[in-house]
Amino acid sequence: MKLVAYDGSGQEIPGAEVDPAVLEVEVPITNPFKQVPIQLKLIGQLPSGLSVENLTPSAEQATIYGPQTELDKIDFIEADLNLSEVTKSGKVDITLNKSDAITEVSPAAITVDVQVVLTQTRTIQGLPITIKGLGNGLKMQIMNPASGQADITFKGAPAVLDKLQPGDVSVEADLSGRGPGTYTIPLNVNSPRFVDQSGGNTSIEVEIANIGTESTPTPGVPTTDEAASGGVIEPDGGEPTGTEAEGTGGTVGSPTSSPSPTPTPSSSLSSSPSPTDGA
């Protein structure tokens, strides 16, 4: 950089000599950066008979560099962990996924301590079934299972299954778009990470009818109110509001008789080893 002399009014002084006449200046330039959490993306499956007990990454956050407009769009950064390549407990090195818009990631890779054990199973009985999407002006009755509740068998690591509680699991059936008639509805079972369904109820049989339509009770099958007492009814356009099995324009109508208290899931839990089950 050439140096020039100026007077008090900011005008260059002709013929003025400056010593030294040239300076070398180093100006550091730093890209915008942002710290974001690292999310492990699990791909593939463990070999049959093994389940994940715990995953511990060497870092939980990463610093990403790039244009500020791109940084503002990113809330986390992923790292792929391929479970199909894991055959025993140990440490696995994986690279963080960097998009083209990001110029740098620090750290660029992390180490994950993977703990795997033999798979076991556990059954939780009497789980309530949440009914979603029951149309306005319709009522429903769970025909099978007769209890109106679900018995689900889960698989996973023994230490993980030991901590599993009924409140950690949700069981849902979606009746959206269905009018009067009898249907077999698949169940959607949501469970914690590293816990999967391996058996038990996978669907329910329901009968849908117009409100006000009389139906002949089937011996051994709960009535509309009795069936509803085993779960939660969520009609179209409304939030879950209790145990009524009717959809009435986005709100649930009052039952004709007092509903039975919502049953508590059975405390009778079974656990058995299953070396052949997959994770």
Side-chain angles (χ1 to χ4, degrees):
M1 175 184 292
K2 182 180 179 181
L3 299 182
V4 179
Y6 293 88
D7 60 21
S9 61
Q11 300 297 318
E12 183 178 347
I13 302 175
E17 293 185 3
V18 179
D19 185 23
V22 177
L23 286 179
E24 184 176 318
V25 179
E26 183 176 326
V27 180
I29 299 176
T30 303
N31 282 334
F33 64 90
K34 178 181 181 180
Q35 278 197 328
V36 293
I38 299 172
Q39 290 191 2
L40 294 179
K41 181 180 179 181
L42 305 182
I43 59 177
Q45 292 186 339
L46 285 172
S48 178
L50 293 180
S51 291
V52 175
E53 184 176 54
N54 192 35
L55 297 176
T56 306
S58 59
E60 296 184 351
Q61 287 193 325
T63 303
I64 56 176
Y65 298 83
Q68 189 62 51
T69 54
E70 296 298 329
L71 296 181
D72 292 340
K73 302 176 184 178
I74 300 175
D75 295 322
F76 60 88
I77 188 168
E78 289 185 332
D80 295 340
L81 177 59
N82 191 345
L83 294 179
S84 62
E85 298 177 353
V86 177
T87 58
K88 61 181 180 179
S89 296
K91 295 184 177 181
V92 180
D93 294 327
I94 55 177
T95 302
L96 274 62
N97 300 335
K98 182 179 76 68
S99 65
D100 294 337
I102 299 303
T103 59
E104 183 182 353
V105 177
S106 179
I110 60 173
T111 300
V112 181
D113 186 4
V114 183
Q115 297 298 315
V116 298
V117 295
L118 292 177
T119 298
Q120 285 194 351
T121 62
R122 178 182 176 186
T123 299
I124 300 182
Q125 300 175 333
L127 289 168
I129 301 172
T130 298
I131 303 297
K132 292 187 172 183
L134 182 62
N136 298 335
L138 298 175
K139 61 181 180 179
M140 59 77 64
Q141 177 179 352
I142 298 178
M143 308 296 290
N144 185 35
S147 65
Q149 300 171 324
D151 299 338
I152 306 294
T153 299
F154 299 96
K155 64 180 180 180
V160 176
L161 293 179
D162 287 345
K163 298 177 182 178
L164 186 65
Q165 299 297 321
D168 300 329
V169 179
S170 66
V171 183
E172 300 174 350
D174 190 355
L175 306 185
S176 298
R178 292 176 170 83
T182 301
Y183 304 91
T184 298
I185 307 296
L187 292 177
N188 181 26
V189 179
N190 300 303
S191 56
R193 199 179 193 188
F194 309 139
V195 175
D196 297 306
Q197 182 179 4
S198 64
N201 298 116
T202 58
S203 63
I204 59 173
E205 183 180 345
V206 301
E207 181 181 1
I208 301 176
N210 292 314
I211 293 176
T213 302
E214 295 293 335
S215 58
T216 303
T218 302
V221 176
T223 63
T224 299
D225 290 336
E226 291 170 341
S229 68
V232 178
I233 306 301
E234 184 176 333
D236 283 341
E239 297 296 327
T241 56
T243 59
E244 297 88 345
E246 296 181 356
T248 55
T251 59
V252 178
S254 300
T256 55
S257 61
S258 299
S260 303
T262 302
T264 302
S266 171
S267 59
S268 174
L269 305 177
S270 61
S271 177
S272 59
S274 179
T276 59
D277 285 337

